[in-house]
Each structure stands twice: as structure tokens, then as C-alpha cells.
Amino acid sequence: MEPQASVAEAVSSLTIADAFVDASASSAPCARPALPIRFICSFPDCSASYNKAWKLEAHLCKHTGERPFVCDYEGCGKTFIRDYHLNRHVLIHTGEKPFVCTNTGCDQKFNTKSNLKKHIEHKHENQQKQYVCNFEGCKKAFKKHQQLKTHQCQHTNELLFRCTQEGCGKHFASASRLKRHGKVHEGYLCQKGCSFLAKTWTELLKHTRETHKEEITCAVCQKAFKRKDYLKQHMKTHAAERDVYRCPREGCGRTYTTAFNLQSHILSFHEEKRPFVCEHTGCGKMFAMKQSLTRHAVVHDPNKKKMKLKVATVQVNRSAWHIPLLYGVCLPV
């Protein structure tokens, strides 16, 4: 049914008062005791009835779409079906909390009477643990009956909470565990603008990696990288002033961007130490560093993953002239 413009239109030519059908009206003799007055909704296919006229008025707004009570605070404009709801909402703007707990030593304030009532019930009236486990030798007590039922599952091995998802049927000892389990069936929705719903987090990561692959490109030379940290390391090559490691041997003057490369240069070039030999048939290349041999092995076996070297980053003090290297030699920079 299409929402009507107003309550009056919703009940055709009837007035609001006409819509309040008195269920006790009948042609029965007056001697019979009067039945409680009921205010019945006149909308077709609606069987709602109420014992108060204002309740029916609020109900009729659900059919018509009317929300007559508007918040007039600047920038708000929220609308409500009842004036009570509007008055309660206004307290959000004013910050007023008119309902104060009167219990000794408690000065908490609340913006609704119902919140105050809940506070009193939970904090002041229900201090005693009323629900005691009756299993032999236990005697544990709880404030809430539901807590007791959950606890007793430990004695009976009965799991009260069953998953209603089709094909699942798992049982749990508490409502919170069932709720947490429910997220398994909810899955993981792709956040990249597509409707893919993954069953597991791993499946979502795989989908994102394969379907929404992002090219990370250097803005200077357009070189592409798989990860942002690789790009960050690469950007050092474009820096106006690069931190370099200078070979300490007199007359050499070679510089390197990492301590690893400098150490490899000194061992292989100046000291002629290349103890790590490639054993692949027909190769026999020698290397000064074991990591270099491992990285070289990919040439012969492309299925091997390339070794990801952890490049040592050294904070260079521009006012100093020397920094320590891995094998204990101080190098000028």
C-alpha cells in the first residue's frame, strides 16, 4: 500500500476518532458486563488494536509515513512519531540528564527514566547472586538465570545454543559464542567495489591480490614494484643526496648504497675471497657472500623463490666522518 499524505487521508473520509473502533460495542443486552475498550486500526489487512487512543495514533503514522514531531535544533531536523521520542532526543543536544540515582553514594545521572531503572536493577537491587548451581559439589551462584544455564552446560555437556544456518547445526555453550560463530557464515565482503563474498579471510586476500592488483609505480622513472616498501627503497636512488658507503681502500673510491654490497666488493675484489661456489653443472661461479650464491641459484632453477635480502639501513650522521661496517672496519662517508 502506498503511504498516504496524512492520517486523515489514510482512513478515507473518516476522522481519526472514527478510526477508533470500539470492540465492546454490540447489540448485546446492557446487563452484560462491559468489555475493555479497544482501539482498532482501520487499515485493510492490519489487525493491530490498542487500549489507548494515543497508541493507535502513533500506530497509524506507520501506515501513512507521517512523523509530525520535528527537532528544531540547527542542522538536525530529525523527525519522530511521538512527542515523547522528540523530547528524549532533544536531551542529546542539551546534554541534560534529569534522572538521578538516589541510592546512597551513587550520583550517576541518565537521560531517560528507563536507563535509570535499568541502572538501579543491575547495580543496586540485584547485588545478591540469586541463581545457585544445584549440581553436587558446585554451589556457584550467578546474578542472571541465563548465566546459570550457560554454566550448567559444563556439568551436563549439553550445548544449548544451536546454529540455525542450513547445513551447519553446530551447538555452543553460550549465546556470545554462537554469535561469534555466526560471522563464519556471514563471510567477508570485498571492499574494492565488487560484490565478491569470500568464505574465509584467506580467500578474500587471495581475491584482492589477484583481481584488484595495484601497480606501484615510481613517479620518476615509471619502474613498477610489487610492494610499497620496495618502492621506498628504490626512491633513494633518485634522492639529490644519497647516503653512500665508500670503500676504505686507498685509491679505490668505489661507493655503494648498502653495507652488504660494499662488504661483498671488499671481500671479492680487494681480498679475493670467494669461498662460495655454484655446484650447478657447467657453472662454477664463485661468490664472496653466501647470500649472493643463494640469489644466483635462481638463474638455474626459476621455480625457486628469489631471496629477499633485508637491506640494512644506517642513519648517517652528516657531521661524522666514519660509520662502523659489519665486519668492524670504519668507513668514511
Side-chain angles (χ1 to χ4, degrees), residues 49-250:
S49 64
Y50 303 90
N51 61 349
K52 300 286 185 183
W54 65 264
K55 291 183 179 180
L56 177 57
E57 286 185 16
H59 167 76
L60 289 174
C61 288
K62 294 181 180 179
H63 290 294
T64 64
E66 274 193 318
R67 302 176 73 87
F69 301 97
V70 184
C71 177
D72 57 4
Y73 266 78
E74 185 177 356
C76 184
K78 285 189 175 182
T79 57
F80 301 89
I81 292 175
R82 290 183 53 197
D83 58 344
Y84 165 74
H85 294 153
L86 172 60
N87 293 335
R88 184 175 63 181
H89 163 78
V90 167
L91 296 177
I92 296 175
H93 298 296
T94 63
E96 183 183 359
K97 293 185 177 180
F99 301 95
V100 184
C101 180
T102 57
N103 280 272
T104 306
C106 184
D107 57 354
Q108 290 197 48
K109 299 178 181 180
F110 303 88
N111 57 359
T112 65
K113 191 175 181 179
S114 60
N115 286 344
L116 172 61
K117 184 179 178 181
K118 289 178 184 178
H119 162 78
I120 293 173
E121 289 176 351
H122 294 163
K123 298 295 182 180
H124 302 295
E125 293 181 354
N126 196 24
Q127 288 298 303
Q128 297 300 320
K129 295 181 178 179
Q130 302 172 355
Y131 302 99
V132 182
C133 180
N134 55 9
F135 277 82
E136 185 177 357
C138 186
K139 303 302 180 185
K140 283 189 176 181
F142 303 88
K143 289 183 179 181
K144 297 180 180 180
H145 185 247
Q146 186 59 58
Q147 292 174 335
L148 172 63
K149 288 177 65 179
T150 301
H151 160 75
Q152 287 180 333
C153 290
Q154 299 176 12
H155 297 293
T156 62
N157 291 326
E158 178 187 3
L159 303 178
L160 299 177
F161 302 91
R162 178 180 177 275
C163 178
T164 57
Q165 183 75 19
E166 185 178 354
C168 182
K170 287 186 176 181
H171 289 73
F172 300 88
S174 67
S176 60
R177 290 184 180 179
L178 173 59
K179 184 178 180 180
R180 183 172 59 187
H181 162 77
K183 294 182 179 179
V184 173
H185 301 299
E186 290 176 6
Y188 300 88
L189 183 65
C190 179
Q191 303 296 316
K192 298 290 186 178
C194 75
S195 58
F196 180 78
L197 183 65
K199 292 182 179 179
T200 64
W201 177 250
T202 304
E203 186 180 354
L204 176 63
L205 291 179
K206 182 180 179 181
H207 163 79
T208 304
R209 187 168 57 249
E210 295 177 354
T211 309
H212 304 286
K213 187 176 181 180
E214 295 180 3
E215 282 292 333
I216 304 172
T217 309
C218 174
V220 180
C221 65
Q222 308 307 314
K223 189 175 181 180
F225 298 89
K226 290 184 178 180
R227 289 169 34 179
K228 290 182 179 179
D229 54 332
Y230 293 166
L231 173 61
K232 184 178 179 181
Q233 182 67 26
H234 163 77
M235 290 304 294
K236 293 179 180 179
T237 64
H238 298 303
E241 294 185 18
R242 296 172 61 184
D243 296 334
V244 296
Y245 298 90
R246 190 180 302 278
C247 180
R249 287 297 180 101
E250 187 176 354

